[in-house]
Amino acid sequence: MKKHTYLVMGLLGFAALLTSCGNGNQGKGSSGALNSSNAEKVYVAPGEHDEFYAFMSGGYSGNLTVYGLPSGRMFKEIPVFSQFPTSGYGYSEETKPMLNTSHGFVPWDDSHHPDISQTNGELDGRWIFINGNNTPRIARISLSTFETEEIIEVPNSAGNHSSSFVTENTEYVVAGTRFSVPIPQRDMPINQYKGNFQGSLSFISVDPEHGHMDIKFQIIMPGFNYDLSHPGRGKSHGWFFFTTYNTEEASTLQEVNSSQNDKDFIAAINWKKVEEYVNNGGGTKMPANYAHNVYDESTHTATTTMKKEVVTVNPLDVPGAVFFLPTPKSPHGCDVDPTGQYIIGNGKLSADLTIHSFDNMIAAIEGKKFDGEAYGIPILKFEDVLAGTVKSGGLGPLHTEFDGEGNAYTTFFISSEVVKWKLGTWEVIDRKPTYYSVGHLMIPGGNSRKPFGKYVVALNKITKDRYLPVGPEMEHSAQIYDISGDKMELLYDFPTHGEPHYAAGIPAELLAPKSKKFYKLADNKHPYATLGAADSKVVREGKEVHIYMSTIRSHFTPDNIEGVKVGDKVYFHITNQEQDFDVPHGFAVIGANNSELLIMPGQTKTLVWEPKQVGVWPFYCTDFCSALHQEMQGYVRVSPANSNIELSWSLGD
């Protein structure tokens, strides 16, 4: 009996030990491992699909990456502002115009803040917008084709950072300059910054049917740094809010000189009032020079239009349109809760969070409770607009998202944590560490009236020891937390490409059913399309040679071409005649000084090749498409420049 008792106690002790190993948080080994319950929450079985799409900015990659949640699997990198040799974006003749600017062809940018189009403040899944920070641009990406359809350059701007956030019916996508500059640009001493440099806040209208963008107006603001922004929604629809720092207007050693003031501002913009003013003929047409690049899905070709003026608005000409809300200290994130009542200023040099009330703001405006002005713009009294303060105990608050259940989640960069707190009571409910130095965070729909508060994703700036080392730099790391209960629960780490500054999430059920499978050949209006093999041909126009080529599993038509000469400029216009989902064809030719092409079913793309050497040069399909993929190849004969060999082409001869 005694032996039996000892055996039972031993088994219970062993079971307790196993349980503690599975759920404990002691030591690096256990904290870095998923217990079985957490693993089940992020596991997506083979052949099954994720619950959410997550679109993450690529930062210095210039692009946008697509992940699934909760699995963290990366599905696609969408080229936006950077050349992308994987598909030929920015290399093909059709897509080169997408990267045109007033500064010439710019093949890179720093992409930051994606935002999904909305209707009535809820995600509608038509488009996603993202900003180029370095050469100020806003891009619109189709969420049917997952391809960039439009890029508009933003004049009078520099460091296009407080962008690209949409109003609650996607009337506008809004872009604010981080760096104030002389407007218009001119040669002047940098140390004369104060009072001479200005910022601009651009309201870019979005056509409700096609999504086409146009700069409706720019508000010319004092020379502060406009860091981040978000729209009003619900009761505050019609307003937009921007954090500012460097209200000192320093131009050098800004880490010291732009951090002197105890409070900077959130700029509150009544864009409805400014819109009415402009619609009635207000504003000044200022000469400008900026590129507007539009991709036509029917011709599979982009074109560039250079615009020559923009409407600017002096806020002093529209009384009651612009106000400053004092906010401690060097605020970074500017976030608005789903009701539109609370405006959160995440002061990165403050341990506390400042929450302003929209109702208090309106009452202060109506009661003229001002505390002076800045360049003629009224400053509202801090105490009269304040709703409350979150005494978090964290360090370096940056960004806040919402779960739709009355809770907010804020990242703290210095103390590396996500803090959950209650709207209205400002009580801290929970906090969880991140690994390491978290920047932005994302809840699907967290920047809308209807968040989907199941997960929060922390976008961390430093990875260190979370993955196997791969040299001096690691990919950035994202961490997904379950927020469906009272307490947050870390589920999973996954690496992210580039440097995600922000992300936007949406339920898969809103996007997946309308994802385009292929382009219909009957709708292909490309001027060099080869809609059938019989249409293939080769045409010489002086030194230019145009090859009308078709491709289908598993051959090119034509696949033997002669009569090309050294010094010719050869255009391969290739049409993929497949009409099936996920059957692209690739094309590459030896010696091309650009990239391959990846041509979607039903699509036409063009690669330019300038042969410099006599010989017989192969081309081939770069994307494995069939059992006879290796046989999918051809040859171009290149003769001396003075050759009199006539053009000829064939297939199977």
Side-chain angles (χ1 to χ4, degrees):
M1 181 66 182
K2 185 181 292 187
K3 289 183 179 180
H4 179 72
T5 303
Y6 288 160
L7 178 60
V8 172
M9 292 177 64
L11 288 173
L12 289 173
F14 182 61
L17 177 62
L18 289 177
T19 303
S20 67
C21 288
N23 295 310
N25 290 313
Q26 301 300 315
K28 181 177 174 62
S30 60
S31 66
L34 292 176
N35 63 38
S36 60
S37 174
N38 287 353
E40 289 170 0
K41 290 180 179 179
V42 299
Y43 177 69
V44 178
E48 298 297 321
H49 293 172
D50 280 279
E51 187 177 356
F52 295 96
Y53 285 95
F55 297 88
M56 298 190 185
S57 68
Y60 42 65
S61 80
N63 295 329
L64 184 68
T65 47
V66 187
Y67 296 80
L69 296 180
S71 74
R73 298 178 296 187
M74 179 175 163
F75 299 145
K76 182 172 184 174
E77 181 171 359
I78 302 173
V80 183
F81 299 114
S82 293
Q83 287 181 299
F84 195 62
T86 300
S87 66
Y89 179 87
Y91 293 98
S92 73
E93 295 304 292
E94 290 80 7
T95 57
K96 281 181 182 177
M98 294 299 287
L99 303 181
N100 287 336
T101 76
S102 62
H103 303 276
F105 181 81
V106 178
W108 170 88
D109 216 310
D110 180 17
S111 61
H112 273 242
H113 306 125
D115 204 17
I116 297 169
S117 58
Q118 299 182 14
T119 300
N120 296 323
E122 298 182 12
L123 305 183
D124 60 30
R126 292 176 294 165
W127 310 293
I128 188 167
F129 302 86
I130 194 167
N131 57 316
N133 188 47
N134 183 61
T135 303
R137 291 175 278 182
I138 298 292
R140 178 179 56 82
I141 296 109
S142 165
L143 290 181
S144 170
T145 63
F146 286 65
E147 301 288 350
T148 303
E149 290 190 331
E150 186 175 12
I151 297 177
I152 191 166
E153 189 179 2
V154 183
N156 298 326
S157 180
N160 175 39
H161 192 262
S162 47
S163 320
S164 50
F165 302 105
V166 301
T167 55
E168 72 172 11
N169 286 297
T170 321
E171 300 97 335
Y172 295 99
V173 56
V174 178
T177 184
R178 175 178 163 198
F179 309 125
S180 288
V181 292
I183 298 178
Q185 277 284 11
R186 57 194 181 276
D187 181 20
M188 64 174 294
I190 297 171
N191 62 11
Q192 293 182 14
Y193 177 117
K194 191 166 187 175
N196 292 305
F197 285 32
Q198 293 174 297
S200 66
L201 308 178
S202 302
F203 285 73
I204 302 167
S205 62
V206 180
D207 179 85
E209 182 176 357
H210 302 293
H212 292 161
M213 299 184 290
D214 186 51
I215 299 176
K216 176 79 170 182
F217 56 85
Q218 290 185 319
I219 304 172
I220 305 303
M221 297 287 286
F224 310 148
N225 292 42
Y226 297 85
D227 202 7
L228 274 164
S229 66
H230 269 108
R233 53 181 60 95
K235 63 168 55 185
S236 56
H237 175 59
W239 289 80
F240 224 95
F241 304 93
F242 297 80
T243 50
T244 73
Y245 68 99
N246 193 26
T247 52
E248 299 86 351
E249 297 181 80
S251 64
T252 186
L253 194 61
Q254 288 201 25
E255 65 177 332
V256 174
N257 295 326
S258 66
S259 304
Q260 299 299 304
N261 293 339
D262 287 335
K263 294 183 179 69
D264 294 280
F265 301 125
I266 288 177
I269 311 294
N270 186 333
W271 60 262
K272 283 280 193 181
K273 188 178 286 285
V274 179
E275 178 187 63
E276 181 183 18
Y277 171 75
V278 171
N279 287 343
N280 288 329
T284 301
K285 291 183 178 179
M286 178 183 288
N289 184 37
Y290 59 101
H292 186 198
N293 310 320
V294 179
Y295 182 84
D296 185 328
E297 188 177 305
S298 64
T299 63
H300 306 289
T301 301
T303 55
T304 297
T305 303
M306 296 305 299
K307 300 280 189 104
K308 295 301 181 182
E309 67 179 19
V310 66
V311 174
T312 61
V313 174
N314 182 340
L316 302 188
D317 293 335
V318 193
V322 182
F323 299 90
F324 286 136
L325 284 60
T327 306
K329 178 177 185 186
S330 295
H332 182 57
C334 181
D335 303 292
V336 180
D337 85 299
T339 70
Q341 173 65 272
Y342 299 119
I343 305 113
I344 290 87
N346 302 267
K348 59 182 180 285
L349 299 182
S350 173
D352 301 330
L353 287 175
T354 299
I355 299 94
H356 297 301
S357 160
F358 179 74
D359 286 346
N360 289 357
M361 184 191 83
I362 295 299
I365 292 170
E366 292 174 349
K368 299 187 183 300
K369 296 179 179 179
F370 303 143
D371 192 13
E373 51 83 21
Y375 293 97
I377 297 172
I379 301 171
L380 300 176
K381 288 185 177 180
F382 178 70
E383 295 78 9
D384 288 314
V385 296
L386 184 68
T389 301
V390 177
K391 302 290 185 180
S392 66
L395 296 173
L398 292 183
H399 302 282
T400 301
E401 292 261 304
F402 310 92
D403 64 7
E405 302 295 331
N407 302 307
Y409 301 76
T410 299
T411 56
F412 287 79
F413 176 79
I414 297 173
S415 53
S416 287
E417 59 184 334
V418 175
V419 173
K420 176 181 180 180
W421 52 277
K422 191 72 175 176
L423 288 162
T425 68
W426 326 125
E427 172 193 4
V428 171
I429 300 170
D430 191 23
R431 60 197 326 131
K432 284 290 185 290
T434 63
Y435 305 95
Y436 302 94
S437 299
V438 62
H440 278 273
L441 76 169
M442 183 274 287
I443 294 172
N447 176 35
S448 74
R449 293 177 68 176
K450 185 182 177 182
F452 301 88
K454 187 172 183 179
Y455 304 110
V456 63
V457 179
L459 303 174
N460 302 314
K461 297 298 185 183
I462 297 173
T463 302
K464 294 290 187 185
D465 56 3
R466 300 301 285 183
Y467 309 121
L468 290 171
V470 289
E473 187 202 18
M474 303 289 289
E475 287 278 47
H476 286 231
S477 178
Q479 294 182 296
I480 182 169
Y481 298 78
D482 182 346
I483 59 171
S484 59
D486 292 335
K487 300 294 184 181
M488 296 179 284
E489 186 176 15
L490 175 61
L491 300 179
Y492 189 54
D493 289 21
F494 59 95
T496 55
H497 187 56
E499 183 187 1
H501 290 271
Y502 189 44
I506 185 171
E509 64 186 12
L510 295 180
L511 289 193
K514 61 183 182 182
S515 180
K516 184 177 284 290
K517 304 297 184 183
F518 57 85
Y519 298 96
K520 293 180 180 179
L521 276 171
D523 296 335
N524 187 332
K525 305 303 180 186
H526 193 291
Y528 292 97
T530 304
L531 299 182
D535 299 323
S536 298
K537 59 185 177 180
V538 182
V539 177
R540 177 177 287 281
E541 298 175 0
K543 289 281 189 178
E544 293 185 354
V545 176
H546 293 268
I547 300 171
Y548 295 69
M549 181 178 283
S550 70
T551 178
I552 197 167
R553 288 168 287 185
S554 298
H555 61 272
F556 295 100
T557 305
D559 66 357
N560 281 193
I561 302 160
E562 300 190 19
V564 173
K565 304 174 186 180
V566 170
D568 282 345
K569 193 171 188 177
V570 181
Y571 293 81
F572 290 91
H573 307 289
I574 306 161
T575 302
N576 181 348
Q577 295 189 344
E578 306 284 357
Q579 293 290 268
D580 192 9
F581 175 48
D582 197 25
V583 190
H585 287 299
F587 178 85
V589 59
I590 190 170
N593 299 125
N594 35 46
S595 78
E596 67 142 0
L597 297 179
L598 196 63
I599 309 136
M600 298 301 112
Q603 191 177 52
T604 300
K605 283 187 179 180
T606 302
L607 181 141
V608 172
W609 181 56
E610 299 184 65
K612 299 176 178 61
Q613 301 179 36
V614 170
V616 178
W617 306 109
F619 57 84
Y620 68 102
C621 177
T622 58
D623 191 286
F624 202 99
C625 56
S626 72
L628 296 175
H629 167 76
Q630 294 297 87
E631 285 75 15
M632 196 167 176
Q633 65 179 66
Y635 291 98
V636 181
R637 176 185 174 187
V638 178
S639 302
N642 59 359
S643 170
N644 58 7
I645 296 175
E646 295 294 323
L647 283 176
S648 62
W649 60 95
S650 62
L651 171 70
D653 293 344

